Each structure stands twice: as C-alpha cells, then as structure tokens.
Amino acid sequence: MPLSNSWGIKMNSPAKPFVSQELTWTPFFSLLKREVQRFLKVAVQTLLAPMINSGLYLLIFGLSLGSRIQISDGTSYLSFLIPGLIMMGCLNNAFSNSSSSVVGSKYGGELEDYKAAPLSSQQIIWAISLGGLFRGLLVGLVTFIVGEAFLYFQNGEFLSIQHPVLLVFFLTVGGLSFAKLGLSAAFWAKSFDHLAAFGTFILMPLIYLGGVFYSLEHLSPFWQTLTQFNPLFYFINGVRYSILGASDVNVWMAFGISLIMLLLFHGFALFSLKGGSFNRW
Amino acid sequence: MIPLKVSNLVKKYGDLEAVKNVSFEIQSGEIFGLLGPNGAGKTSIISSITTIEKPTSGSIELFGGRVERENKAAKAILGVVPQELVNHGFFSAFEVLEFHSGYYGIRSNKKHIEFLLNKLGLWEHRDKKIKQMSGGMKRRLLIAKALVHQPKLLLLDEPTAGVDIELRASLWDFVRELRDSGTTILLTTHYLEEAEELCDRVGVINHGKLIKIGPTKQLIKELTSRQVAIYLKNKLPPCQHINLIKSNAQEKSMLFEISNQTGIGELLAQLKFPMEDIIDIQIQEGRLEDAFVKLLGDKNELTS
Ligand SMILES: Nc1ncnc2c1ncn2[C@@H]1O[C@H](COP(=O)(O)OP(=O)(O)OP(=O)(O)O)[C@@H](O)[C@H]1O
Ligand SMILES: [Mg+2]
C-alpha cells in the first residue's frame, strides 16, 4: 500500500507554527496518565480481582473463623481484620501495578522509549509509583466498602474511621513505598518468573507475617520480637490505628518508620533505574 | 551548528568491544548512511546516541549539547526509529502517539499526529492495538512515533526492514522530503541500492571500526571501476590491452575494465579501432555494492 497520495504536503506544514515543548511537567504527566490508563483498561484484573480476593478473606477469616478469635479490647475480629486487609490490598496492588507495568514495557521494548525521551529518572520513578499508588488506593477503598458491607451484615453496624488524615497518610506512604519497591524489583528482573519469585519468597511472607490476620498478643515471645523487625508490621498497624483508634504499636513510631521506608524504597528505585536494565527481554 | 558529533566513541559489552574508537560528524540537512555487516556495531552507536546504552568512553554532541542521560534539551530534538519492533500492550496506535508526544513535552498534538498517520498510511489502522498490526504497520508506527515532535535529528535503524517494495519507495520519498524540510537524518540499512539512492554521505563500519567515510558518489568513484563493452561490426582484431577482461567472438564484443579516472576517449585512442567499425559502446558505472565489497575485502565477511 502506498504511504499517501499527497506528496505535495510539506512535512512541517500542518503543525506550523510548531507546538512548543514543555519539558518540565508534560513528560511526567503523560507518563502518569499512561500508567493510570493502563490499569483502568484492564480493570477486571486490576480492580475486580482484588475485590473478590478481599471478599474471600472476609468470608473465611472474618465470618467463619473470626467468631472463635478474641481480641483483648473487645473489638470484633472482623473489625480488626478490615484495616489489615485494606492495607494488604493497597500494598499488594501498588507493588504489582508498577512491577507489571515495568516488566510489560520491558517485554514489549517500550521501556527503551522512556530512556530515550526527555524524562528524568526522578520523573520516571514518580510517575510510575504514583500510578501504582492510585491503584492501591482504589483497591483499598473497594476493600473498605466490601468490609463495611460484611460488618453491617454481621453486626448491624458500620465501622467509623477514627483518624482520617492519618489513614490517608499511611495508605499514601505505604502505597508509594511498595510501588517503588515493585519498580525496583522489575528493573532487576531478568524474566517474569524472576519477578514472581520475588513476590512469593519475599513479599508475600512479609505481608502475611506483618499482622494482617493476628494481633501480637496471639504470638509467642519469639515471634513477637521477629514481627517487630518486619517493616510491614508498622504500615499495617498504622492503618489499624487510624481506623480503630488502637493498635499493637505506638502510632508515631509507625509514622516514623513508614517515612523511613518510603525514603529507603525511593533510594532503591533510583539505584535500580541507574543500575538496572531498560533493555528488552 | 553540527547536528551530530561523535568523538572517540568506545562501547564494550563485557569483553566484547563492539565500537572501537569511532569518530564522525554529520552535516546539517544531509542524509548520512551508516553501513556495515551484521554485528558491525551500527545499533550500538545509535543506542549510545539515544542514551539507551552508556558509552564506555568518548563523547557525543547534538547541536553542540552533550548527550547525557539527564540532558533533556538534547533529547527533545532527537527522534529515533529502533531496529526492533515495539509493542504497547493495551494501547491503540493513536493513543501511543499521543503519549509519545507527551513524553516529548507536547500536550496537544492531534493535528500533527493525524498528518503523520495519513502520511504513513496508518489512518485506517489508528484504533488498532499494536499487537493487531502487521510487521510493516508496526514499523511505520515506529516512524510516526519518532516524528511526533518534529525532531531536528532523526536516527533510523533499518527503517525499511520488512517493508514491502512499493512502500519502501514511498518511504524513500518521505525521508527525502524530511531532509528537504530541514531534518538531518542518520540511517542504517543492509540494502545498498537504498543507501546509494538516498544517502548524501556514507560511513562504512566493520568489526566496530569506521573504515571509510565520505560522499556516496565519491566513494563509488574511488573504489569501483567502470566496465566498457565495445561491439564491433567485423571480426575482432587481435588485442593485448591490459584492461581487457573478456572478448566474445560470437557477439563480436570486448569488455574492458577501466578506473574511474581513465576517460573513454583515452581507452579508444589506445585501442585504435577504426571508428566506422564500432557499432555500440556500453558503459556500466560501479555501484555502491561493489565499493562495499571491496572495502570489506572478502564477500564472505558480509555474514561473519
Ligand atoms: N546488549 C548487548 N550485550 C552484549 N553484546 C551485544 C549487545 N548488543 C550488541 N552486542 C554485540 O555487539 C556487536 C555489535 O552489535 P550491533 O547490534 O551494534 O551490530 P549492528 O551493526 O547493528 O548489526 P545488525 O546489522 O545485525 O543490526 C555484536 O557483536 C553484538 O553481538
Ligand atoms: Mg543493528
């Protein structure tokens, strides 16, 4: 097929005068927009699946097993579980959004485009991790709504949020941190399996052992001590405190550790972008 | 200002030295061809210019600005068509071009995108996802992507690989049109007739070394010879001329090979054939392909 019949057109004519290039913010916002649109295009996988996931947890742990578990201050196990599930969904999805975006772009060769374009490393990191955060927040919100429905069904009452500002803080810092972690892992990954192994061997154990499903008081002293070295423990309890008004750790300690985690993971991401590979698989 | 200046570029992958101390310049408004066999180092040079690969040593300047990972100004005037096709997951051709415009700092670029899609015969495929496109369509989309921001320097790494014959000719026209409207172009290709047709100057690279650079015509002239076939009316006269390479008694023709510096008149004067005996003289000029083969020494090396 011929390219076009209209060879008379001069290359520059239609767009003259040439649109000026705004290189400070436009590249960044374009990448952010791409990241958000990417997961919205496959909302069934990225939003509906996590919703079903949390629904199942609530059904199995919250309703059936939960009636046998006692929390010392008298909160129902279901109320105890909901904040943990919200944070788990947020962290998990922030991580998988940025990691699968990067890995997918590596697979298609698109990641090289970012490197050739006038996008700085900082911009790439923030655009991709904010994309992950948005998905994490959406999943957190959906989990909250599903949780409220379960709670109403069981106890005939809703859970009210004690400290909304803190809640937004912990979700935002946690989501950003995990999106950055996902980005770092994806930059180093040499294959899809490589990335999956990271999730299975490191991420999942940290999340499951981070106090989503149980309180410290249920553990033996050995596990209590070990759990305090798990950074996720602070993210999860920060959210629990924000919603219930009480948790296993001092909220300001959780606050500080969360911020340190964010800085650390941002550093990881920067290091990964400089040292990891943009090359296609 | 010089659009592209590569100085003492070295690129190593581990122990392999893919680019060995290469220096060259591209002049404003020209089409420059980088030629060489597979694995010569062409893509490595291009990837160094786009910062996809980090040079081991040496420097690259675009319009006087040093090319570095974080130098946005230099990157914003550069467009590149990579050798390998790119996929874009869930996005359509139009969306891909919009995002790409954004990465280069252009917020609304609808008109120019429409122009490019039309120009490259992709308008009716604009809503297709990339994975639903044929190989040739994907390559044309790559070209459109490289042009969304109207770059001042365009790098084309084998832009016509896998493109059908008709389309290839139109692409050539398009490339020339781009040059005429002020874009400087560097391209690589394995089709030497394409390079001969398009490139104002070429550089030949082999095993990572730049072995020859110059205006295409001059290179051909310097490295090839002309073949002169003379057809006679009567039987062939005895001839011991050193440039004679073949005579055919049945056709009554003789074939001479002379350097591009020797004139036809000179040859005829030496041969002293009677004018009325000559029916026809056919001259075949050398081709870039001949020059290329001569430069690389052995034709077998083409695939090594
Ligand atoms: N990422 C890489 N890692 C290791 N070696 C590489 C890499 N990329 C290229 N090479 C090697 O560097 C050399 C030059 O490769 P390059 O792709 O630059 O060649 P080319 O001239 O573009 O070849 P072609 O015409 O086949 O595209 C080859 O020997 C190749 O194997
Ligand atoms: Mg190549």
Side-chain angles (χ1 to χ4, degrees), chain A residues 81-101:
Chain A
L81 184 61
I82 290 170
L85 285 181
I86 290 175
M87 194 51 159
M88 182 167 103
C90 175
L91 299 180
N92 231 335
N93 281 279
F95 179 90
S96 60
N97 195 67
S98 57
S99 62
S100 60
S101 171

Side-chain angles (χ1 to χ4, degrees), chain B:
Chain B
M1 211 176 289
I2 302 161
L4 175 68
K5 184 174 174 178
V6 174
S7 319
N8 305 104
L9 182 68
V10 176
K11 175 66 197 170
K12 286 186 189 164
Y13 301 102
D15 286 337
L16 180 91
E17 200 171 10
V19 180
K20 298 169 183 158
N21 201 26
V22 166
S23 303
F24 65 96
E25 281 177 13
I26 297 188
Q27 274 130 40
S28 196
E30 75 173 348
I31 301 177
F32 181 87
L34 200 54
L35 311 176
N38 286 144
K42 304 178 295 295
T43 301
S44 300
I45 293 176
I46 289 187
S47 302
S48 302
I49 301 171
T50 55
T51 73
I52 286 169
E53 293 289 351
K54 194 172 163 28
T56 308
S57 65
S59 78
I60 298 165
E61 279 174 30
L62 284 188
F63 295 93
R66 213 181 144 104
V67 176
E68 269 154 3
R69 174 76 190 86
E70 307 279 342
N71 186 349
K72 290 188 186 179
K75 290 176 156 198
I77 49 176
L78 183 65
V80 59
V81 175
Q83 180 173 359
E84 308 253 343
L85 296 176
V86 177
N87 267 308
H88 290 272
F90 311 108
F91 295 110
S92 72
F94 201 92
E95 288 171 314
V96 166
L97 293 174
E98 278 191 317
F99 286 129
H100 212 74
S101 304
Y103 303 157
Y104 283 84
I106 303 161
R107 217 167 307 153
S108 72
N109 202 19
K110 239 191 160 93
K111 255 179 141 173
H112 191 60
I113 291 174
E114 281 174 14
F115 164 74
L116 287 172
L117 285 171
N118 275 314
K119 194 76 180 170
L120 290 158
L122 287 172
W123 180 251
E124 60 265 50
H125 307 295
R126 67 188 177 280
D127 292 327
K128 278 191 184 163
K129 288 183 183 141
I130 313 310
K131 59 172 176 246
Q132 298 167 330
M133 292 182 146
S134 76
M137 291 176 199
K138 286 184 196 165
R139 178 131 350 245
R140 280 180 273 159
L141 182 71
L142 286 182
I143 297 173
K145 266 171 65 187
L147 291 170
V148 284
H149 58 299
Q150 303 190 15
K152 291 211 266 175
L153 177 66
L154 179 63
L155 311 176
L156 303 165
D157 202 353
E158 298 190 26
T160 53
V163 169
D164 65 52
I165 299 174
E166 202 178 346
L167 193 67
R168 182 172 302 163
S170 349
L171 270 175
W172 292 358
D173 284 336
F174 191 32
V175 168
R176 273 189 284 251
E177 220 174 285
L178 285 169
R179 181 215 25 217
D180 295 343
S181 62
T183 314
T184 305
I185 293 154
L186 181 148
L187 64 82
T188 77
T189 178
H190 288 291
Y191 304 104
L192 291 165
E193 78 278 21
E194 175 169 292
E196 186 172 347
E197 169 105 2
L198 273 179
C199 300
D200 303 304
R201 287 195 314 139
V202 293
V204 178
I205 178 166
N206 194 20
H207 299 305
K209 277 197 207 111
L210 188 64
I211 52 177
K212 194 84 192 173
I213 184 167
T216 316
K217 293 212 176 73
Q218 193 182 311
L219 228 85
I220 294 171
K221 213 168 168 188
E222 185 184 323
L223 290 167
T224 64
S225 42
R226 285 188 284 182
Q227 298 208 331
V228 182
I230 301 177
Y231 293 84
L232 298 170
K233 209 184 293 175
N234 300 315
K235 74 174 184 48
L236 299 179
C239 176
Q240 240 94 64
H241 197 276
I242 48 158
N243 290 338
L244 177 70
I245 52 171
K246 208 163 59 184
S247 49
N248 185 334
Q250 220 170 356
E251 269 189 2
K252 287 183 278 192
S253 70
M254 288 171 142
L255 188 65
F256 298 88
E257 192 171 274
I258 58 172
S259 81
N260 283 305
Q261 280 73 42
T262 317
I264 305 288
E266 218 171 301
L267 176 70
L268 289 178
Q270 289 164 3
L271 289 172
K272 301 197 181 78
F273 293 160
M275 275 301 175
E276 61 278 9
D277 203 21
I278 297 174
I279 300 176
D280 194 11
I281 299 175
Q282 285 174 5
I283 302 163
Q284 205 184 3
E285 300 287 340
R287 312 216 44 126
L288 183 60
E289 188 163 345
D290 307 325
F292 189 76
V293 170
K294 187 157 182 202
L295 268 175
L296 298 183
D298 180 6
K299 189 144 194 165
N300 294 334
E301 243 185 291
L302 279 179
T303 46
S304 76

